[in-house]
Amino acid sequence: MDHPADLQPAPAAIAHAPTVRQQLFEFVLQLADTSLVLGHRLSEWCGHGPVLEQDLAMANIALDLLGETRSLYQYAAELEGQGRTEDDLAYLRPATAYRNPLLVEQPNGDFAHTVVRQFLFDNFHYHLLLALKTSPDAPLAAIAEKSVKEAAYHLKWSSEWIIRLGDGTAESRQRLDKALATLWRYAAELTMPTATEAALQDLGLVPDYRGMKPAMDAHTARVLAEATVPAPQIAPFAQKGGKAGQHSEHLGYLLAELQYMQRTYPGLTW
Amino acid sequence: METPAQDLSRDDQFQARIDADVRIEPKDWMPDAYRKTLIRQISQHAHSEIVGMLPEGNWITRAPSLKRKAILLAKVQDEAGHGLYLYSAAETLGASRDQMLADLHSGKAKYSSIFNYPTLSWADMGCVGWLVDGAAILNQVPLCRTSYGPYARAMVRVCKEESFHQRQGFEIMQTLCAGAPAQKEMAQEALNRWWWPTLMMFGPKDSESPNTEQSMKWRIKRFTNDELRQKFVDMMVPQAEFLGLTVPDSNVRWNEARQAYDFGEVDWNEFWSVVKGNGLCNHDRLQARVQAHEEGAWVREAALAHAAKRAAREAVAA
């Protein structure tokens, strides 16, 4: 099994102007927070999956995301240059400093909710990493290069489950419909650039999300068609705010658990 | 119809193969009792891996660093993998996974009692790896040479990963013991709780272990419970000393004549009480498994229904 404890050191960062460096720090932090929070959610399934093989699959995806998280935090810490570590960034920031989109902090719900949340994220994540592979920022490109292979597998897993649940039994279909209706509202935030993202897009360091949208939409349409599910007709009001630090009520509890040891025993090494 | 005489000679031939250390394979003839004993033991072992995911899973979301979180999650995932190989090994004897799970959920099949103890602090992740996996390895290494081929081969892989887990557990303990006083206290407190239950993992005393003799004869088992328990104490007491921790047994002392540690008597009332279902977590562990299975039913049904639809479509297309 893959033990992601030993990560390769990232290649040296190119010299960015201080403002750009700050923007890049914020962007990398946003990606790290996103993978951390979603990986955490998936790890909550561990030992409780619907069948042993899927328990393994979800733990596997959680581990991939956690590995990516660590590389990203390490790079973010380097960009920041204040001597903070990956653990300082993960464990010692309040919820309002977290920059993950709302989608990934939503609770697991039933397996259909977990699958839909994963599918909406994977479709974005895969296409983002694919484009980031060619970012002129070498450390970011290197992280993307490694993680995109994993993200391709995640997207395959969640797409196959959308299809199985949609074209499975009446119950699975009804649960899938409900999960889509609940979670669809959080999808738009993924590709809505923040001011930081827009600035980095202008510089060509981060892909323009508009360029990714056709491939993402085509994939969604193909999977939903195979699942025999019509795409949600009326786009519900797009909920957003997580990427600006305005979260749903769920994140606070997640962080309370995640940060428990570091908060209870400040400054110790584990 | 078979005559008793033929049965006898078949039994004798079987025992002769065992005595010659020839592996028994799924298609070979074997006595019913041998098959039953193995199904019981392998499925019990598989269940232990699956139930064993719960006490450690309890700390995945609270691990104190990202590195520890990744190691712990990978470890618990390995246990799910062990469960899979072991269920597969039991299936080669004609047991079905559904039936084995039904027996677990109904309480008919057992799993290792150690998992009925709660994990209350981060140091428990150290103790579970160091002591519980350490005890499991002593129980399991001889099984790599057990007479039934698929079980022995599954165990080779399991043991390799278990010894990796054990080192990780010891390393957690080392870090705690080299850390702040609060961390060392945490380590000692966890050792106090886990020491006796891990000694119980080797099972009842030899004089009270009815299955041992036949299992030794069939080479399903290669050491007795008491032999393994002694080995464990001899291995762990120096390790505890190295860590600067005290084993919670005032009778532990080196016996020069025996070249082994003497140690106190396990509380067998507690052992049998937990086996019978009265441990703090028996109810919760089983309930968690039953709930996961029941709540997953619609997912498994959907996967089967979809596979059937797809197969039907492909048949029409072909």
Side-chain angles (χ1 to χ4, degrees):
Chain A
M1 302 264 161
D2 185 31
H3 292 275
D6 308 305
L7 298 167
Q8 294 296 316
I14 47 171
H16 293 295
T19 352
V20 178
R21 206 177 162 90
Q22 175 62 26
Q23 286 163 338
L24 204 52
F25 164 71
E26 284 168 21
F27 176 70
V28 172
L29 201 58
Q30 175 187 316
L31 297 186
D33 291 345
T34 304
S35 295
L36 176 64
V37 169
L38 186 58
H40 183 101
R41 281 290 187 227
L42 283 172
S43 78
E44 292 171 356
W45 272 104
C46 191
H48 307 276
V51 66
L52 197 45
E53 285 79 353
Q54 298 314 317
D55 221 311
L56 275 160
M58 286 189 280
N60 215 28
I61 298 172
L63 276 169
D64 286 345
L65 291 173
L66 193 49
E68 186 188 347
T69 301
R70 294 187 61 198
S71 303
L72 288 165
Y73 278 138
Q74 286 163 16
Y75 181 39
E78 190 188 322
L79 284 166
E80 187 190 39
Q82 307 272 328
R84 286 206 279 185
T85 65
E86 58 174 52
D87 287 334
D88 293 338
L89 292 171
Y91 291 93
L92 301 176
R93 286 184 303 138
T96 46
Y98 264 69
R99 289 291 180 267
N100 59 281
L102 297 175
L103 175 73
V104 297
E105 71 199 41
Q106 298 310 305
N108 286 340
D110 66 4
F111 186 69
H113 280 75
T114 293
V115 162
V116 168
R117 184 185 63 198
Q118 195 63 37
F119 175 74
L120 295 172
F121 173 73
D122 291 341
N123 196 20
F124 169 72
H125 189 216
Y126 169 72
H127 287 98
L128 173 68
L129 294 174
L130 203 58
L132 274 178
K133 265 177 30 171
T134 55
S135 168
D137 187 72
L140 197 50
I143 295 169
E145 173 86 44
K146 180 179 179 291
S147 296
V148 73
K149 293 173 205 131
E150 298 163 350
Y153 159 76
H154 305 168
L155 182 57
K156 184 170 183 287
W157 180 85
S158 56
S159 300
E160 284 173 358
W161 273 106
I162 294 275
I163 293 165
R164 281 191 199 104
L165 299 184
D167 188 26
T169 62
E171 182 178 3
S172 68
R173 173 56 175 273
Q174 180 235 322
R175 285 174 182 267
L176 178 68
D177 286 346
K178 196 171 168 193
L180 281 167
T182 305
L183 294 167
W184 199 262
R185 74 194 75 229
Y186 300 108
E189 185 183 12
L190 299 171
T191 50
M192 245 180 245
T194 60
T196 301
E197 287 173 299
L200 292 168
Q201 285 171 339
D202 287 345
L203 292 169
L205 288 168
V206 168
D208 189 331
Y209 299 151
R210 283 169 301 187
M212 289 158 42
K213 277 285 278 175
M216 286 174 60
D217 291 345
H219 182 74
T220 304
R222 189 183 68 71
V223 170
L224 290 182
E226 207 176 324
T228 73
V229 174
Q233 288 301 308
I234 305 159
F237 180 78
Q239 293 293 346
K240 61 177 194 303
K243 293 203 289 190
Q246 302 293 315
H247 291 278
S248 61
E249 291 175 344
H250 305 296
L251 185 66
Y253 293 97
L254 186 151
L255 293 181
E257 202 169 323
L258 177 90
Q259 299 180 338
Y260 159 68
M261 289 292 290
Q262 291 274 350
R263 300 289 191 184
T264 310
Y265 302 97
L268 302 186
T269 303
W270 301 94
Chain B
M1 292 292 280
E2 289 159 347
T3 66
Q6 277 171 324
D7 269 357
L8 252 187
S9 77
R10 216 159 45 166
D11 275 341
D12 288 347
Q13 278 173 22
F14 179 81
Q15 190 60 49
R17 291 187 64 186
I18 299 263
D19 293 343
D21 263 337
V22 177
R23 286 269 162 84
I24 307 301
E25 295 299 332
K27 291 204 166 88
D28 296 340
W29 181 86
M30 60 188 84
D32 266 354
Y34 176 85
R35 186 186 298 275
K36 276 191 193 136
T37 301
L38 273 171
I39 290 177
R40 180 175 56 82
Q41 184 173 330
I42 299 172
S43 64
Q44 189 171 316
H45 189 169
H47 298 328
S48 299
E49 296 283 356
I50 302 311
V51 176
M53 293 170 74
L54 300 170
E56 287 179 287
N58 185 38
W59 279 88
I60 291 172
T61 55
R62 290 179 292 167
S65 72
L66 294 177
K67 184 180 165 195
R68 292 290 180 205
K69 194 185 202 54
I71 292 173
L72 183 60
L73 180 54
K75 181 190 172 186
V76 181
Q77 189 199 30
D78 283 349
E79 285 157 11
H82 297 171
L84 268 187
Y85 326 144
L86 289 162
Y87 284 126
S88 303
E91 279 166 346
T92 65
L93 291 158
S96 75
R97 207 205 295 183
D98 283 345
Q99 187 55 51
M100 290 186 271
L101 288 178
D103 289 346
L104 170 68
H105 298 155
S106 72
K108 186 181 162 204
K110 298 288 177 212
Y111 56 86
S112 179
S113 262
I114 193 73
F115 302 122
N116 293 318
Y117 289 84
T119 52
L120 302 176
S121 80
W122 171 251
D124 289 25
M125 297 304 98
C127 278
V128 169
W130 172 42
L131 298 175
V132 174
D133 292 338
I137 290 167
L138 281 181
N139 272 327
Q140 291 170 6
V141 164
L143 294 175
C144 299
R145 297 185 294 125
T146 198
S147 58
Y148 187 59
Y151 190 24
R153 288 188 289 273
M155 289 317 298
V156 170
R157 203 166 154 185
V158 169
C159 284
K160 223 157 72 185
E161 291 177 354
E162 288 294 352
S163 64
F164 187 61
H165 297 165
Q166 207 236 346
R167 282 202 301 276
Q168 290 170 341
F170 186 74
E171 206 258 319
I172 290 177
M173 295 304 282
Q174 255 182 316
T175 306
L176 293 176
C177 291
Q183 287 171 301
K184 190 152 187 192
E185 268 168 43
M186 194 188 283
Q188 180 66 54
E189 191 274 337
L191 173 60
N192 293 348
R193 280 183 289 111
W194 288 97
W195 176 254
W196 290 108
T198 45
L199 291 192
M200 297 176 197
M201 284 177 70
F202 299 96
K205 282 199 279 200
D206 292 349
S207 54
E208 321 227 330
S209 176
N211 298 322
T212 293
E213 194 189 338
Q214 181 62 67
S215 287
M216 301 268 295
K217 196 172 162 216
W218 277 333
R219 299 199 182 172
I220 291 173
K221 208 167 165 172
R222 290 186 172 253
F223 297 97
T224 72
N225 297 352
D226 287 335
E227 284 168 352
L228 290 170
R229 195 166 7 249
Q230 180 68 56
K231 259 192 191 186
F232 179 78
V233 172
D234 291 345
M235 193 168 99
M236 290 304 173
V237 169
Q239 291 185 14
E241 278 169 13
F242 175 82
L243 289 170
L245 298 175
T246 310
V247 165
D249 176 359
S250 56
N251 291 310
V252 163
R253 63 181 60 82
W254 178 251
N255 182 325
E256 193 58 35
R258 288 203 305 125
Q259 286 295 298
Y261 283 94
D262 292 335
F263 58 98
E265 186 73 10
V266 168
D267 180 351
W268 295 111
N269 289 331
E270 177 181 322
F271 171 78
W272 289 114
S273 174
V274 178
V275 168
K276 283 177 186 142
N278 301 326
L280 183 64
C281 298
N282 290 65
H283 176 80
D284 291 353
R285 300 288 186 237
L286 199 54
Q287 192 49 41
R289 289 313 314 158
V290 169
Q291 191 179 334
H293 191 74
E294 284 174 355
E295 287 178 0
W298 69 271
V299 178
R300 299 189 299 274
E301 282 158 18
L304 288 174
H306 177 73
K309 283 185 196 177
R310 181 169 279 201
R313 280 198 294 267
E314 278 162 13
V316 170

